[in-house]
Amino acid sequence: MSSTRTLVSPAVLARPRGRAVYWTVFTGVVLLFALAFLFPVYWMVTGALKSPDEVARTPPTLVPEDWRVSGYTDAWELMQLPTHLWNTVVQAAGAWLCQLVFCTAAAYALSKLKPVFGTVILGGILATLMVPAQALVVPKYLTVADLGLLNDPLAIWLPAVANAFNLYLLKRFFDQIPRDVLEAAEMDGAGRLRVLWSIVLPMSRPVLGVVSIFALVAVWQDFLWPLMVFSDTGKQPISVALVQLSQNIPLTVLIAAMVIASIPMVALFLVFQRHIIAGISAGSTKG
């Protein structure tokens, strides 16, 4: 029986001194990485609690000398964050729903229905991943403008549907679903849509969670495309509004607005982190 080679042998870990050194190094590395990831978040949150003079001070202060919550309240009112956050939610939710429906249907068709020239179609879809995103901006804008969709959430929803990466991710997961399960459902009288709804989708919750996160984050953090299609300030998402409304705004208020804008995505990850990790693990083991 072959044994797995590790950096620290079991014999060393069996000794008290070896265990002490191992756990000391392990704890130090974990704390170092935690500090590297969490310190920028701490710096941003506390920066909004400082006065403008203290934020610009050199050397900077780690802890605010004078705690001020007014930065957050001013950001909420002066930068009209409720309006722009709601615009972002509407745009992200619509893009997520459209992408989930159409990408799932296309992936299911390519994976299980085996259409004629399915391989060629999939190859053409994957070929779009080789095209730089910047090269598609002008054709997309002209198409949206010709359809009269400027300043309309559909200008965000419809282009988001054509996501080759998420479609391929779903297809790869669907390929791993045993054919016997689908054939058993078909023998019981289930049609194609019934199989998709009752069998495939419940088994695909992990990858659907990952695709959902990718879709929401892509819309939430996008800047260039919303800037081009939303000339009406009242309809702009938070990513564009933070730049457009940052003129003559104190630095502490701007930092507070960035903190507020990042809260929804952080909360979304914390709530669905189990499904996200499960989806990534499932994709790595089955792919």
Side-chain angles (χ1 to χ4, degrees), residues 104 173-174 177 181-182 193-208 275 286:
T104 299
F173 193 93
F174 292 164
I177 297 178
V181 177
L182 306 184
L193 291 178
R194 180 72 176 183
V195 171
L196 173 62
W197 181 260
S198 301
I199 305 298
V200 176
L201 292 184
M203 297 179 65
S204 305
R205 287 177 181 173
V207 72
L208 291 176
H275 302 282
K286 292 188 177 185

Side-chain angles (χ1 to χ4, degrees), residues 31-50:
L31 291 177
L32 183 62
F33 274 90
L35 181 64
F37 282 100
L38 295 179
F39 182 76
V41 179
Y42 167 81
W43 188 261
M44 185 169 62
V45 172
T46 57
L49 297 172
K50 299 177 182 179

